[in-house]
Amino acid sequence: MQHANKQEPTRRTMLRAGAAAGTATGLSAAGILGARAANATTTSAPGESRKPPPYPPDVTDTSRCTPEVAALFHRIFTAKSEHDTAAFMAHFSRTNTSYSDACLGVVMSGWQTINTEFTSIFTSAPADAIAYPLTIVGDTDSATVEFVDSPGFFGQEIRALSSVTFDRDRKITRWVDYWDRRSSLFPSPDASAYPADFNDSEQNADPAVVHAATRLQSAFAAGDAAAAAALMSVDVVHEDMAAHTRIRGQAQVQRYYTRALRYLPYGPGAALLHTEGSRQGGGYEWSTSPAVVPGRRGHTAIGLDAVGRINRLITVYDSSLLSYPAYLSLISLAAEAPLS
């Protein structure tokens, strides 16, 4: 079952064109983010003066990040909301950078390639298209950012959970977007080459978050609900952006994992690929379980308390790759067993 989308033919045409021109890394750079932008509509004619965009709302949770990276992302998303390509691209390394979309399966490498894409997106977007961060976890070495692209950019609202890595000069060397196509009302992906690598060797994470992420994903891959829950605080919150489930408390989370791990994309068979973040937390990217969603990727954000226990977990993956019955079954696993 797919959601209706009036501009689906245009989007599919662009995806097919990109796939035809692509290499082993997936879709070609030209039109990579434009594949998302194909759904957007422009409200001003070329050359027409545009009204200043509304300022991004101040709704960001910065309780698990440093003030420096909070200020950095504020500048990045302000530039994006103002459609200021020069200001936005000033945050990317000119010598070593990539921007990827793990949902579409595309990787752009090189400052000029990324600049060309965002120039096109910002030029065609209506004035009211804005983007803003909801949660930032990490520091100026690397971080996880949860953010919103308003419908003006890509025709539908996109809520992403992204991995961002910086160099010593606080320039972005790697940015990967993760989002759920079904939740964003986009049609299911066309069959095309999916990259084997998203520049995963570009890592700059604190050992504390690497340790936590490695132990957590090892427990998930083993299907060990008790071991996973033991890494968490008593009041941990688990949120699945794709299955729209939110579970509070270590005891409830363990019961959920006992029911659900074998069916979750990050359960048995999934493997950790990349980690980002600081001692306060961050996130990790993983390959999906072959039995659930073959050959794809997902992303999980984790917050850490003062003694390194996980007190917040947010995960996202592309649920449109699941059949609708399988998707409904996944959602139902959040329900507790009936009372006797």
Side-chain angles (χ1 to χ4, degrees):
M1 176 177 177
Q2 294 181 355
H3 294 283
N5 190 314
K6 294 181 179 180
Q7 297 197 1
E8 179 179 343
T10 301
R11 179 174 172 77
R12 289 185 177 277
T13 298
M14 293 191 70
L15 284 170
R16 292 194 183 103
T23 64
T25 59
L27 299 179
S28 65
I32 283 175
L33 294 182
R36 294 196 318 204
N39 281 7
T41 57
T42 303
T43 58
S44 57
E48 180 183 341
S49 62
R50 294 154 51 118
K51 297 179 181 178
Y55 200 77
D58 185 13
V59 294
T60 312
D61 178 358
T62 58
S63 61
R64 296 180 178 87
C65 72
T66 61
E68 293 79 11
V69 80
L72 183 55
F73 277 115
H74 178 78
R75 293 193 295 271
I76 291 169
F77 282 97
T78 296
K80 186 174 182 179
S81 295
E82 293 177 347
H83 310 167
D84 187 338
T85 307
F88 182 76
M89 289 304 301
H91 295 286
F92 287 80
S93 168
R94 283 184 172 268
T95 59
N96 174 36
T97 191
S98 65
Y99 194 113
S100 306
D101 187 312
C103 183
L104 294 178
V106 293
V107 178
M108 288 187 290
S109 296
W111 187 93
Q112 188 56 58
T113 299
I114 301 169
N115 180 72
T116 299
E117 284 295 331
F118 277 102
T119 297
S120 175
I121 291 169
F122 292 167
T123 300
S124 62
D128 62 355
I130 62 171
Y132 53 94
L134 294 175
T135 307
I136 303 168
V137 187
D139 57 22
T140 52
D141 288 333
S142 57
T144 300
V145 58
E146 179 189 5
F147 71 91
V148 178
D149 278 330
S150 73
F153 277 120
F154 304 113
Q156 303 283 5
E157 179 185 82
I158 291 179
R159 292 180 177 264
L161 187 67
S162 299
S163 172
V164 185
T165 302
F166 302 94
D167 63 17
R168 293 181 178 179
D169 297 321
R170 300 182 178 180
K171 300 296 184 181
I172 297 166
T173 59
R174 180 183 185 272
W175 184 308
V176 185
D177 286 338
Y178 288 84
W179 50 288
D180 178 27
R181 191 184 296 255
R182 189 191 301 272
S183 298
S184 298
L185 306 183
F186 278 102
S188 296
D190 287 6
S192 58
Y194 194 82
D197 181 67
F198 284 73
N199 295 320
D200 295 323
S201 62
E202 193 71 28
Q203 301 202 43
N204 198 15
D206 188 275
V209 74
V210 173
H211 180 68
T214 300
R215 294 179 68 194
L216 178 64
Q217 187 53 45
S218 293
F220 284 162
D224 193 336
L231 301 172
M232 302 178 179
S233 67
V234 172
D235 296 313
V236 66
V237 177
H238 169 106
E239 181 179 354
D240 187 320
M241 294 171 62
H244 304 286
T245 58
R246 183 182 175 92
I247 302 161
R248 292 178 175 271
Q250 185 184 42
Q252 291 184 26
V253 164
Q254 181 171 337
R255 293 198 297 270
Y256 171 68
Y257 292 156
T258 299
R259 295 189 299 271
L261 272 181
R262 75 182 71 176
Y263 306 108
L264 292 169
Y266 49 87
L272 188 150
L273 298 173
H274 181 277
T275 310
E276 74 278 349
S278 67
R279 290 183 179 275
Q280 293 178 283
Y284 70 95
E285 298 162 68
W286 38 272
S287 60
T288 55
S289 166
V292 181
V293 181
R296 295 286 172 155
R297 296 170 67 112
H299 190 208
T300 298
I302 53 176
L304 302 177
D305 66 14
V307 295
R309 292 173 301 194
I310 297 168
N311 54 22
R312 182 73 188 275
L313 182 152
I314 308 174
T315 192
V316 70
Y317 45 89
D318 186 4
S319 72
S320 74
L321 298 167
L322 300 168
S323 69
Y324 197 60
Y327 174 65
L328 292 179
S329 177
L330 200 64
I331 294 173
S332 71
L333 291 169
E336 293 282 13
L339 296 174
S340 55

